[in-house]
Amino acid sequence: MVQKNEEYIVDIIDNGIDGEGIAKVDGYTLFINGTIKGEKVKALVLKANNTFGFAKALELIEKSPDREEPICPAYNRCGGCTLQHMSYEAQMRFKEEKVKKTLSKFLDSGTSFKSLNGVEFEPVIGMGIPYNYRNKAQYPCQNGKIGFYSPRTHSLVENDNCLIQDEEADRLAKYAFKVLTDLGNDCYDEKEKTGILRHIMTRVGKNSGEQMLVVITNSKELNNKEEFIKELTTKFPNLKSIVQNINEKDTNIIMGKKCITLYGKDYIVDTLGDYKFKISPLSFYQVNPVQTEALYNAAIDMAELKENVTAFDLYCGIGTIATFLSAKCKKVYGVEIVPEAIEDAKENTLLNGIDNIEFRCGAAEEVIPKMYEKEGIKADVVFVDPPRKGCDQVLLDTIVKMSPKKLVYISCNVATLGRDLQYLTQNGFELLKVQPVDMFPQTAHCESVCALKLR
Ligand SMILES: C[S@@+](CC[C@H](N)C(=O)[O-])C[C@H]1O[C@@H](n2cnc3c(N)ncnc32)[C@H](O)[C@@H]1O
């Protein structure tokens, strides 16, 4: 039986869903972060449960040709990136395999599906320069420091220059933190429930250059706001919006519901393709705009739209997909649960001179059954882009009843995607195509777009 603190020489036989290396010791599974399939390592067991345990690689005995030296000095401590030790080509191969393996597991166990045979599985769309791609960062503030949490903890890791964030926004956050603390604003202490600063959030329009800074505080209190605003706007001329967000709750949710605009606009504008989008602090906006365009284009191509169709954009955020669809459809309906995002979405139609989209605010699983059953509104093509937990069962049931000719499913979590595809393929739909898109280089996350048609 494998015991804590014992050392073993093991072969890494696979990489798990989060990129972790997997080894076996007499049938007992060890998960070893930072190792790559094909490597041989000396590992120290850190935790041993009954059937599996966690170990740390002490020595690399045989290295994978896919191994690369991580360029971030905080990589081994920070919880942000998990694949920087792999070449970018290997990261893409890993993601493609992860999507394929997970989907075939779900679809093989379904009665209507025997394998991914017959489904067009496209190679992952990767990024030319897979660094500094993020347009949004949320930095915890703790004990006089700003940084990121180490994996599965609230211990702070400082990092002078995060390599996946926008470079200037990264500097903006750190400078804002220094000025705020110099002006007498202490960090919030989670145990004592004292102090002011909880997080600093930055958002940048990668195409427009506009920057937003959100200071997340534990109460309304924020000292010396005027000096803070003057200092920041002098140093960062592209800073178009400074917002204070108040989060009085004792949970892991970063932002509260209340926003106070301290300077400039209460939103920034960015462009995607030919369109402009207004984005406010509480609205969702895809974090990697280069890959977002590739994702949306792939999704819209998959729908093979004809001009006179009605489309639904469900989980629509600020209406980006609906906007891209508007030129190709007779009518588009967008549904989203966050009221601020729907406000942005409505203004975005005005900003882009579009008059064939109607937005509704509410849970898709409540709004769509009402639209379909009570108002008789039906879609020819449905796009869904749910959060990580996937689609609600009531929504899937309504889509099955409504029977749109085409369904395009965009997902950031292949496990819930597999679950929902299993249901859909057992209930009248056929899966035609899967296109993974690398929205989150250096991490194990992968976005996928799937095309389904009514059988
Ligand atoms: C992955 S984002 C996609 C947003 C948008 N399609 C885009 O590309 O920017 C998921 C969105 O679903 C929204 N959401 C979460 N649960 C929802 C629900 N039950 N009904 C409708 N929208 C929901 C979130 O607020 C978020 O805006």
Side-chain angles (χ1 to χ4, degrees):
M1 172 74 183
V2 170
Q3 303 284 340
K4 186 176 169 177
N5 292 330
E6 281 178 351
E7 289 178 14
Y8 295 91
I9 308 272
V10 291
D11 293 316
I12 307 300
I13 54 169
D14 208 352
N15 284 101
I17 200 152
D18 294 321
E20 71 283 14
I22 299 175
K24 294 272 184 194
V25 178
D26 297 332
Y28 182 93
T29 305
L30 278 178
F31 296 107
I32 311 173
N33 280 341
T35 58
I36 305 175
K37 184 175 169 182
E39 293 190 320
K40 190 187 272 297
V41 303
K42 184 201 261 187
L44 170 71
V45 179
L46 302 174
K47 191 170 179 196
N49 298 326
N50 280 347
T51 51
F52 64 90
F54 299 91
K56 173 177 153 181
L58 296 176
E59 195 186 319
L60 278 172
I61 297 166
E62 280 169 26
K63 267 191 197 179
S64 162
D66 293 331
R67 180 166 285 278
E68 269 186 10
E69 197 52 42
I71 56 177
C72 174
Y75 177 62
N76 291 326
R77 293 172 289 124
C78 175
C81 297
T82 43
L83 297 186
Q84 258 192 44
H85 62 286
M86 281 186 196
S87 69
Y88 189 53
E89 289 68 31
Q91 291 184 24
M92 290 202 286
R93 251 185 283 125
F94 161 76
K95 291 185 190 195
E96 223 168 272
E97 266 175 41
K98 163 173 152 164
V99 173
K100 233 182 232 172
K101 256 198 268 179
T102 314
L103 292 189
S104 39
K105 200 167 75 191
F106 276 102
L107 296 172
D108 280 349
S109 62
T111 50
S112 62
F113 239 93
K114 292 291 167 243
S115 71
L116 279 181
N117 288 343
V119 176
E120 242 181 283
F121 196 98
E122 295 292 328
V124 62
I125 301 177
M127 251 195 119
I129 302 171
Y131 289 100
N132 300 111
Y133 58 84
R134 286 189 63 98
N135 58 18
K136 179 185 176 187
Q138 302 182 116
Y139 302 83
C141 306
Q142 197 183 77
N143 225 349
K145 292 176 183 160
I146 181 169
F148 290 112
Y149 290 137
S150 70
R152 292 174 295 280
T153 73
H154 274 198
S155 334
L156 197 106
V157 175
E158 284 182 291
N159 179 357
D160 284 345
N161 172 20
C162 174
L163 293 162
I164 57 170
Q165 300 296 346
D166 178 82
E167 276 176 293
E168 200 180 48
D170 195 48
R171 279 198 293 279
L172 166 65
K174 283 150 191 179
Y175 190 69
F177 177 76
K178 183 180 176 327
V179 175
L180 282 167
T181 47
D182 287 351
L183 289 171
N185 295 286
D186 290 341
C187 295
Y188 176 64
D189 185 316
E190 282 181 337
K191 282 201 189 109
E192 303 294 327
K193 319 262 177 270
T194 56
I196 297 174
L197 301 177
R198 293 179 73 128
H199 278 80
I200 303 275
M201 193 263 251
T202 57
R203 208 165 217 176
V204 54
K206 285 276 204 184
N207 295 318
S208 68
E210 293 191 0
Q211 295 164 342
M212 168 184 273
L213 180 73
V214 183
V215 181
I216 300 150
T217 56
N218 187 45
S219 69
K220 269 195 192 141
E221 190 185 348
L222 187 63
N223 299 315
N224 298 309
K225 290 178 208 166
E226 293 309 319
E227 287 106 305
F228 169 64
I229 291 165
K230 186 156 182 274
E231 182 65 33
L232 265 286
T233 49
T234 310
K235 182 124 179 154
F236 292 91
N238 292 331
L239 186 53
K240 301 294 179 209
S241 168
I242 306 182
V243 173
Q244 179 181 4
N245 174 272
I246 300 164
N247 183 2
E248 292 170 329
K249 296 227 168 98
D250 195 11
T251 67
N252 279 342
I253 295 169
I254 294 176
M255 303 254 274
K257 290 213 154 68
K258 183 154 179 56
C259 289
I260 304 168
T261 306
L262 301 179
Y263 168 81
K265 308 182 285 189
D266 56 0
Y267 60 90
I268 52 168
V269 173
D270 195 22
T271 60
L272 275 182
D274 295 333
Y275 301 105
K276 284 187 186 153
F277 294 101
K278 178 186 156 182
I279 314 148
S280 42
L282 297 175
S283 299
F284 178 93
Y285 184 57
Q286 298 284 355
V287 297
N288 182 338
V290 171
Q291 296 300 88
T292 300
E293 284 201 45
L295 175 80
Y296 289 176
N297 289 334
I300 290 169
D301 283 353
M302 279 184 186
E304 295 170 339
L305 294 165
K306 305 220 169 65
E307 260 171 33
N308 57 351
V309 299
T310 297
F312 283 1
D313 172 11
L314 307 185
Y315 306 90
C316 71
I318 60 171
T320 41
I321 295 176
T323 303
F324 274 70
L325 287 174
S326 63
K328 300 188 179 244
C329 299
K330 185 176 73 186
K331 176 90 186 177
V332 185
Y333 292 90
V335 179
E336 160 66 41
I337 202 166
V338 173
E340 290 81 357
I342 281 291
E343 284 312 305
D344 287 350
K346 287 179 179 164
E347 287 185 36
N348 286 333
T349 58
L350 301 177
L351 206 58
N352 292 297
I354 293 169
D355 61 6
N356 62 342
I357 314 180
E358 192 176 318
F359 289 105
R360 307 231 175 158
C361 187
E365 60 275 19
E366 289 171 14
V367 174
I368 293 303
K370 273 190 209 141
M371 277 171 69
Y372 176 59
E373 277 149 24
K374 302 228 160 71
E375 297 177 54
I377 300 173
K378 196 173 164 343
D380 302 296
V381 184
V382 172
F383 288 74
V384 293
D385 183 8
R388 290 187 64 74
K389 67 178 180 191
C391 291
D392 187 277
Q393 188 57 44
V394 175
L395 176 66
L396 293 179
D397 286 339
T398 311
I399 293 174
V400 165
K401 271 192 241 161
M402 192 197 300
S403 312
K405 286 187 208 74
K406 301 252 175 64
L407 173 59
V408 178
Y409 194 131
I410 302 174
S411 161
C412 56
N413 181 351
V414 68
T416 54
L417 172 68
R419 179 200 68 199
D420 291 350
L421 288 182
Q422 185 180 52
Y423 180 78
L424 289 163
T425 53
Q426 288 170 358
N427 287 279
F429 286 91
E430 182 183 350
L431 178 62
L432 300 176
K433 188 168 177 174
V434 180
Q435 171 67 75
V437 179
D438 190 15
M439 292 283 268
F440 316 100
Q442 317 306 330
T443 80
H445 297 288
C446 188
E447 196 86 7
S448 311
V449 197
C450 298
L452 297 104
K453 74 162 194 203
L454 202 60
R455 226 183 265 122

